Amino acid sequence: MNSHARGDGIPNIRENRLPRHFYQRDTLIVVRELLGKILVRRFEGELLSGRIVETEAYIGEDDPACHAARGLTPRTRPMFGPPGKAYVYFIYGMYYCLNAVTEREGFPAAVLIRALEPLAGIETMSARRGSPRPTNLTNGPGKLCQAMAIDKSLNETSLQGEDLYILDGPTLAAETIGSSPRIGIKVGTENPWRFFEKANPFVSK
DNA sequence: ACGCTGATGAAG
DNA sequence: TTCATCAGCGTT
């Protein structure tokens, strides 16, 4: 029985979680297919969720913008590990960023989740963000982590677990996906490895 | 355009 | 131990 055929009208959330093999593929495929999927965070008994509308790919030790370009260190270890786990890092002294680890174990790569379209738990997320407008809640990698209470305690946790996971959803049509160089980096700008849903107001600035 | 803020890794 | 760097954000 699949998740749409339970007969009780309640989606089978567990079975809808993206499996590990979704992530164990070419990062340039995963970075596009993650658009439209649903990021879910269980926090203090409440489910906070949002539809992924912007992502970036960081691919291997030869990508100068990838943290793994300096090799295996304590910080970058999650990217060298098995796919389907979270890589959460602290940046600029104030913010966290969430990545989904991709590719086979031993090949360091990940997809940075840059923006969400808020779905559930909007009241809680607004309060955590200091009550900004809905379009200013999760339109940036640091903002969405603040809204969803994602910090280093979730580093290296499975994305098929109970506290943080990504649900399957319809893959976006290619013509609705835009791309550009990645944001905030000074190297690797020749690669247009940022992807976003065109004309979506929840994409970052 | 700039200041906030602290982890990170390289240099010494 | 110092130092430069930094995949961000908010305010100016």
Side-chain angles (χ1 to χ4, degrees):
Chain A
M1 184 185 349
N2 67 36
S3 59
H4 302 291
R6 286 180 44 165
D8 56 8
I10 300 171
N12 188 329
I13 290 173
R14 173 173 293 282
E15 291 189 2
N16 275 345
R17 280 172 212 200
L18 292 174
R20 173 174 152 157
H21 61 73
F22 174 91
Y23 302 94
Q24 191 162 354
R25 294 183 294 163
D26 188 317
T27 306
L28 288 178
I29 293 175
V30 179
V31 70
R32 278 175 269 233
E33 291 197 5
L34 274 175
L35 295 172
K37 306 298 189 278
I38 312 299
L39 177 67
V40 184
R41 166 80 167 120
R42 193 186 68 174
F43 177 66
E44 294 180 347
E46 184 183 11
L47 292 183
L48 314 175
S49 69
R51 184 170 164 274
I52 298 171
V53 298
E54 181 180 349
T55 54
E56 282 178 0
Y58 290 86
I59 312 174
E61 296 179 78
D62 293 334
D63 173 7
C66 183
H67 286 170
R70 305 237 168 207
L72 175 59
T73 67
R75 180 204 205 187
T76 63
R77 190 182 72 237
M79 276 205 285
F80 286 81
K85 291 191 172 190
Y87 167 43
V88 181
Y89 63 86
F90 188 62
I91 193 66
Y92 295 122
M94 316 172 75
Y95 300 104
Y96 295 94
C97 291
L98 170 67
N99 299 252
V101 175
T102 60
E103 312 263 358
R104 70 180 194 278
E105 184 166 3
F107 185 96
V111 172
L112 172 67
I113 310 299
R114 280 197 60 89
L116 307 172
E117 179 175 340
L119 293 178
I122 293 177
E123 292 283 314
T124 295
M125 292 194 284
S126 293
R128 294 186 54 80
R129 288 272 303 129
S131 301
R133 312 175 77 82
T135 54
N136 195 27
L137 221 47
T138 53
N139 61 332
K143 294 179 186 180
L144 72 89
C145 284
Q146 184 177 33
M148 288 192 139
I150 293 167
D151 61 23
K152 260 198 122 176
S153 70
L154 293 169
N155 191 31
E156 275 194 293
T157 61
S158 167
L159 291 173
Q160 292 87 47
E162 293 299 319
D163 295 325
L164 186 66
Y165 49 90
I166 301 177
L167 299 181
D168 199 2
T171 301
L172 297 196
E175 61 268 22
T176 67
I177 299 175
S179 67
S180 79
R182 294 167 291 183
I183 304 292
I185 56 169
K186 294 188 162 123
V187 290
T189 53
E190 67 277 13
N191 295 315
W193 287 350
R194 167 177 175 252
F195 298 89
F196 53 93
E197 184 176 36
K198 289 178 186 173
N200 187 299
F202 297 95
V203 168
S204 75
K205 307 204 175 45

